[in-house]
């Protein structure tokens, strides 16, 4: 049975530094699609040579995970636990903040000096109370490290970041069994996905036009599904890119302030104190 589409939402551009950013989640009338609690789409943008890069200097996180899709460009990650990498187009950065991490994200030194194109998406993924204070971790994966599934008609390519699809196992390990795919479709491509009943779906169209269970979705739109039924059928009307994920909803209280996502206000206050005392690492 095809999954029912509740609504298709559009996001408008905001300014972050010199580039555009779209925020599909949270939005008016849509606080979250648990466990997916925030989605930022930065760019596309072309930076001039000798630029200042991205305005994301060292800052803390606690209580959740971030997954950054580098669609174009080179993004440098560094954190207070000693992780450092430059991930290029097609790769991802999966950071488990959990009990606390201080990190920074910027264009690579090469792109700050020479300029170039940049387009990234960052997704925040909540953790249940039982995992919020687990060990922080970072997984940086280049495009060639991520398994791909190619459709029979060769018009759809799915990068399997985590989870399983058609016998391919994702390169990233998820604490909560998240399934995360980066889907690229050529015009005329047909592709079907099955979602375990009861799981929530993240479905964001980066760009292009695609029929989703018969309804048209275009770039910068988020398709919100009911949790019932299993089937999603895609028919690309143009060259299209989609970020797709599934996860179990977290049926717990959630309170957040800035970079901290916890279950109670007391835990938020403790997070602030721990950051100020350097317990999340120092950069």
């Amino acid at each position: 049975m095809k999954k029912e589409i509740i609504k298709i939402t559009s996001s408008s551009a905001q300014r972050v530094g010199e580039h555009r950013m779209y925020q599909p989640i949270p939005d008016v009338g849509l606080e979250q699609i648990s466990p997916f609690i925030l989605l930022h789409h930065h760019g596309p943008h072309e930076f001039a040579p000798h630029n200042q890069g991205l305005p994301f200097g060292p800052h803390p996180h606690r209580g959740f995970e971030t997954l950054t899709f580098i669609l174009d460009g080179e993004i440098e990650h560094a954190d207070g636990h000693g992780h450092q990498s430059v991930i290029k187009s097609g790769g991802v950065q999966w950071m488990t903040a959990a009990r606390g991490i201080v990190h920074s994200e910027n264009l690579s030194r090469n792109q700050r000096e020479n300029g170039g194109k940049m387009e990234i998406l960052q997704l925040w993924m909540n953790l249940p109370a039982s995992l919020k204070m687990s060990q922080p971790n970072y997984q940086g994966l280049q495009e060639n490290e991520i398994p791909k599934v190619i459709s029979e008609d060769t018009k759809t390519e799915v990068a399997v970041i985590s989870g399983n699809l058609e016998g391919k196992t994702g390169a990233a390990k998820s604490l909560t069994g998240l399934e995360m795919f980066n889907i690229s479709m050529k015009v005329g491509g047909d592709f079907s996905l099955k979602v375990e009943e009861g799981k929530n779906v993240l479905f964001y169209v980066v760009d292009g036009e695609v029929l989703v269970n018969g309804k048209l979705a275009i770039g910068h739109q988020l398709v919100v599904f009911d949790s019932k039924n299993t089937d999603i059928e895609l028919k690309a009307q143009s060259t299209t890119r989609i970020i797709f994920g599934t996860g179990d909803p977290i049926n717990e209280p959630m309170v957040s302030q800035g970079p901290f996502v916890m279950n109670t206000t007391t835990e938020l206050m403790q997070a602030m104190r721990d950051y100020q005392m350097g317990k999340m690492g120092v950069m």
Side-chain angles (χ1 to χ4, degrees):
M1 292 281 288
K2 290 183 183 179
K3 290 188 75 62
E4 180 185 348
I5 293 174
I6 297 173
K7 61 181 175 180
I8 298 175
T9 68
S10 298
S11 54
S12 55
Q14 309 169 28
R15 300 297 298 184
V16 175
E18 61 179 278
H19 70 270
R20 292 176 300 173
M21 183 195 79
Y22 298 85
Q23 181 178 290
I25 306 172
D27 201 0
V28 177
L30 184 68
E31 183 180 349
Q32 61 173 304
I33 305 174
S34 179
F36 308 109
I37 55 177
L38 181 144
L39 180 61
H40 282 166
H41 178 183
H42 297 272
H45 182 77
E46 180 135 11
F47 283 88
H50 309 295
N51 61 79
Q52 297 298 309
L54 299 172
F56 308 134
H59 58 280
H61 289 301
R62 173 177 279 181
F64 63 101
E65 303 182 281
T66 63
L67 176 56
T68 305
F69 299 82
I70 293 86
L71 303 178
D72 206 352
E74 301 175 356
I75 301 299
E76 180 180 278
H77 166 95
D79 65 51
H81 292 266
H83 305 114
Q84 193 161 3
S85 69
V86 173
I87 303 297
K88 300 183 179 183
S89 301
V92 300
Q93 297 172 329
W94 188 311
M95 188 182 76
T96 303
R99 70 184 181 208
I101 199 166
V102 176
H103 81 128
S104 67
E105 291 172 298
N106 205 345
L107 300 183
S108 67
R109 177 175 299 213
N110 170 54
Q111 281 209 284
R112 295 197 301 273
E113 292 178 356
N114 299 308
K117 295 179 180 179
M118 180 279 305
E119 185 175 14
I120 62 175
L121 282 93
Q122 186 170 93
L123 175 65
W124 289 19
M125 308 167 299
N126 198 10
L127 288 170
S130 61
L131 293 172
K132 282 190 182 294
M133 298 300 285
S134 52
Q135 181 71 26
N137 190 36
Y138 171 77
Q139 302 173 80
L141 298 165
Q142 304 289 3
E143 181 179 21
N144 62 7
E145 298 176 286
I146 301 172
K148 308 289 195 306
V149 169
I150 309 294
S151 63
E152 283 188 23
D153 64 7
T154 72
K155 292 183 177 181
T156 301
E157 179 182 280
V158 183
V160 186
I161 295 158
S162 67
N164 296 279
L165 182 68
E166 296 185 8
K168 298 287 179 71
T169 299
K173 307 302 180 191
S174 168
L175 286 178
T176 57
L178 296 180
E179 181 178 67
M180 299 302 312
F181 304 153
N182 187 349
I183 303 173
S184 299
M185 302 184 76
K186 297 176 182 175
V187 60
D190 289 323
F191 198 73
S192 296
L193 294 156
K194 275 193 176 294
V195 178
E196 187 179 327
E197 196 159 343
K199 288 186 180 288
N200 280 344
V201 174
L202 174 83
F203 191 108
Y204 178 67
V205 183
V206 178
D207 52 32
E209 300 181 348
V210 60
L211 290 176
V212 186
N213 286 353
K215 293 187 178 181
L216 181 67
I218 64 174
H220 305 128
Q221 288 190 329
L222 186 80
V223 182
V224 183
F225 293 92
D226 186 37
S227 61
K228 298 176 183 176
N229 300 327
T230 60
D231 297 354
I232 298 175
E233 293 181 3
L234 308 178
K235 295 182 183 295
Q237 307 300 291
S238 66
T239 300
T240 301
R241 294 183 296 175
I242 299 160
I243 299 300
F244 177 88
T246 72
D248 292 313
I250 299 173
N251 298 312
E252 298 173 354
M254 187 186 90
V255 292
S256 62
Q257 184 165 331
F260 306 127
V261 180
M262 304 303 292
N263 296 98
T264 68
T265 53
T266 301
E267 291 170 345
L268 277 184
M269 293 170 65
Q270 185 64 52
M272 294 174 196
R273 284 195 295 268
D274 287 351
Y275 168 56
Q276 291 164 356
M277 293 173 66
K279 292 183 178 181
M280 297 182 187
V282 178
M283 291 186 65

